[in-house]
Amino acid sequence: MSELVTGEAVALELRPAKLPSRALAVLIDLIVAVLVYIAVVIGLVAATSSLDDAAQAALSVAAFLLVLVGGPIAVETLSHGRSLGKLAFGLRVVRDDGGPVRFRHALVRGGVGMIEILMTFGVVACIASLVSERGRRLGDVFAGTLVVRERIPVGRAGVAPPPPPGLAGRFAELDLSGVPDGLWLAVRQYLTRMHQLQPQVSLSMASRLAADVAARTGAAVPPDLQAQPAAFLAAVVHERQSRQTRQQPRYGSGGEQTVAPVSPPAVAPVTQEAPEHSEKAPERPQSRSTGFAPPA
């Protein structure tokens, strides 16, 4: 796994995606887009049969741009860099600094991709990806993005330092569901390497990551932590890890809730009684282990 060095000299252990996985992901996306385009064209032909040929041609071009160009841009923006093909192969588009992509990144990638993928049948994109050390095509170069493998072995990830004692559990009510995995990865990598950076560079990087996390959670950074964004990030990551730890013991590997086996109570062995005493046995105290009634 190669390291990706950001502009702030932060080394992120991201695994750039290679050409085969990227090509298969693009192929899946193209198949889905073409099927949607065919369905849209059939619907337009049936709905605009009364129009002339020029109007139908204009609608076909508009449908082509909307589905094959605008569709991938919208999906990549809304899913934070994950299309259907990338989801199938565990890939994600991230910024050069490891953060999540936004609309402008997806727009540049989609605009350049129309030329290097659609118009040249992917030849230009394959050549650029083979020449690039990190497998980037021209759209990634102009947009400042990188396609990485999101499924990274857990053992290779660094351990984030714990937050200050006063911040543990402070963000228990914070909604962390909107923070994408790419941003979590960038925060964790920063926390494991923040002591290797210069103070001003570390503060700038932490402030930007804290602003991104706050925007995803919908809650601003507390005023007392605005001067200490690294402490805010450590507390939020600690809260996320604590929630994952609390959820893991409740479920087994198959997803079903595990219940500790309860051993049955120990029962003393009872000797079989004689037939003549079988009717009177329930009325006598069972204080003897043999089960026979005492003699009269």
Side-chain angles (χ1 to χ4, degrees):
M1 177 165 47
S2 61
E3 290 187 346
L4 174 65
V5 181
T6 68
E8 288 79 8
V10 180
L12 302 179
E13 289 185 359
L14 301 180
R15 181 177 295 180
K18 299 302 180 180
L19 179 60
S21 59
R22 292 191 61 178
L24 291 175
V26 171
L27 181 61
I28 293 177
D29 293 337
L30 285 178
I31 292 176
V32 174
V34 168
L35 292 178
V36 174
Y37 173 70
I38 293 175
V40 171
V41 169
I42 293 176
L44 287 177
V45 170
T48 61
S49 58
S50 60
L51 298 179
D52 54 1
D53 295 338
Q56 291 182 357
L59 290 176
S60 299
V61 173
F64 175 84
L65 295 177
L66 180 64
V67 176
L68 295 181
V69 180
I73 294 175
V75 171
E76 199 168 276
T77 302
L78 297 177
S79 63
H80 306 295
R82 300 188 73 182
S83 60
L84 183 61
K86 293 180 178 62
L87 180 64
F89 289 93
L91 308 181
R92 181 185 290 271
V93 182
V94 298
R95 302 195 306 256
D96 280 340
D97 57 1
V101 295
R102 294 183 173 87
F103 172 73
R104 60 184 180 88
H105 304 98
L107 180 61
V108 175
R109 294 186 79 254
V112 179
M114 183 179 62
I115 300 175
E116 62 175 340
I117 296 179
L118 297 180
M119 293 186 177
T120 63
F121 300 99
V123 176
V124 175
C126 291
I127 295 176
S129 182
L130 289 174
V131 172
S132 175
E133 181 181 357
R134 293 180 290 177
R136 301 202 303 175
R137 62 179 178 88
L138 295 181
D140 294 316
V141 175
F142 288 109
T145 57
L146 176 69
V147 180
V148 299
R149 294 186 59 183
E150 193 175 30
R151 298 167 187 167
I152 300 176
V154 179
R156 299 293 299 274
V159 179
L167 297 181
R170 179 175 176 179
F171 300 98
E173 303 298 331
L174 194 63
D175 184 13
L176 304 178
S177 60
V179 182
D181 294 336
L183 183 55
W184 283 124
L185 179 60
V187 172
R188 285 179 55 86
Q189 294 298 333
Y190 163 75
L191 292 175
T192 56
R193 288 167 173 79
M194 63 179 181
H195 298 293
Q196 304 174 5
L197 308 174
Q198 298 180 358
Q200 62 274 16
V201 175
S202 177
L203 180 60
S204 175
M205 185 70 177
S207 300
R208 186 172 59 184
L209 291 175
D212 289 343
V213 172
R216 300 296 182 182
T217 58
V221 180
D224 58 331
L225 295 180
Q226 292 181 357
Q228 298 177 343
F232 168 76
L233 295 175
V236 174
V237 171
H238 181 268
E239 176 61 30
R240 180 174 184 259
Q241 293 176 348
S242 299
R243 295 181 186 181
Q244 293 177 347
T245 304
R246 289 194 298 266
Q247 293 175 359
Q248 287 177 356
R250 299 179 182 178
Y251 299 92
S253 58
E256 299 180 355
Q257 187 172 1
T258 58
V259 180
V262 180
S263 58
V267 180
V270 180
T271 308
Q272 185 176 5
E273 298 182 355
E276 59 271 12
H277 298 286
S278 59
E279 297 181 357
K280 297 181 180 181
E283 300 178 358
R284 297 180 180 274
Q286 299 181 359
S287 58
R288 298 177 181 269
S289 61
T290 58
F292 289 97

